[in-house]
Amino acid sequence: MTEITRRATLAGAAASALLPFVKTSPAHAAAPLADKQNASFYRYNVGTHQVTVVCDGVATVNLTDNYAAGASKDDINKVFAEHHLPTDKVTHTFNPVVVNTGPKLVVIDTGLGPDQFAQTKGKVGQFQNNLAAAGIDRAAVDTVVISHFHGDHTRMPRSWCRRRSGSSGWTTAR
């Protein structure tokens, strides 16, 4: 056990009294300071790029017999139980990513979309609202990258798309 001596107490008090006279420099942040904390996004830097992971929502569903290819429901239940997870349900999080390269703003996957937000009463499809909460203007998005074609990655608003002249496909544009 640490014993607090009178000498240590006086030394600490003297050092604390001198703190106002210590020259400090202001902190410089790459992103503007927020006036509140928000659990709907997480921002970090990778080199010169800023990455923002934006929550699109969370869905908990019943664990089906064919949940994972090549694994039985009993095998999955065993793994879940070993990790202190419920064995009858599974929770999925949906998190599109925004990369600010400086000259370009890139969205990787677009979440479940506004229709799912209405249908699930806000459980999923939160990407648009949380994008705004992160201070990112969706009109400033230059490029949308779809990692793969599951519904939770591809339901972008049509306003992010435009017809390319002479093309039958959709191309992302601002």
Side-chain angles (χ1 to χ4, degrees), residues 1 32 35 51 60 75 165 168 170-171:
M1 186 165 144
D35 60 352
V51 178
T60 300
D75 292 340
S165 175
S168 61
W170 289 95
T171 180

Side-chain angles (χ1 to χ4, degrees), residues 143-163:
T143 305
V144 175
V145 176
I146 303 297
S147 66
H148 62 284
F149 288 94
H150 283 166
D152 58 307
H153 298 262
T154 61
R155 293 190 180 134
M156 78 177 76
R158 291 282 183 179
S159 61
W160 275 7
C161 301
R162 69 169 167 81
R163 286 271 188 192

Side-chain angles (χ1 to χ4, degrees), residues 1-12:
M1 186 165 144
T2 304
E3 184 178 327
I4 300 176
T5 64
R6 186 178 357 205
R7 180 176 288 162
T9 303
L10 290 173

Side-chain angles (χ1 to χ4, degrees), residues 31-56:
L33 294 176
D35 60 352
K36 61 184 175 183
Q37 193 66 297
N38 193 326
S40 65
F41 60 88
Y42 179 74
R43 186 173 280 139
Y44 60 96
N45 293 326
V46 177
T48 59
H49 295 12
Q50 184 178 69
V51 178
T52 306
V53 180
V54 182
C55 180
D56 189 45

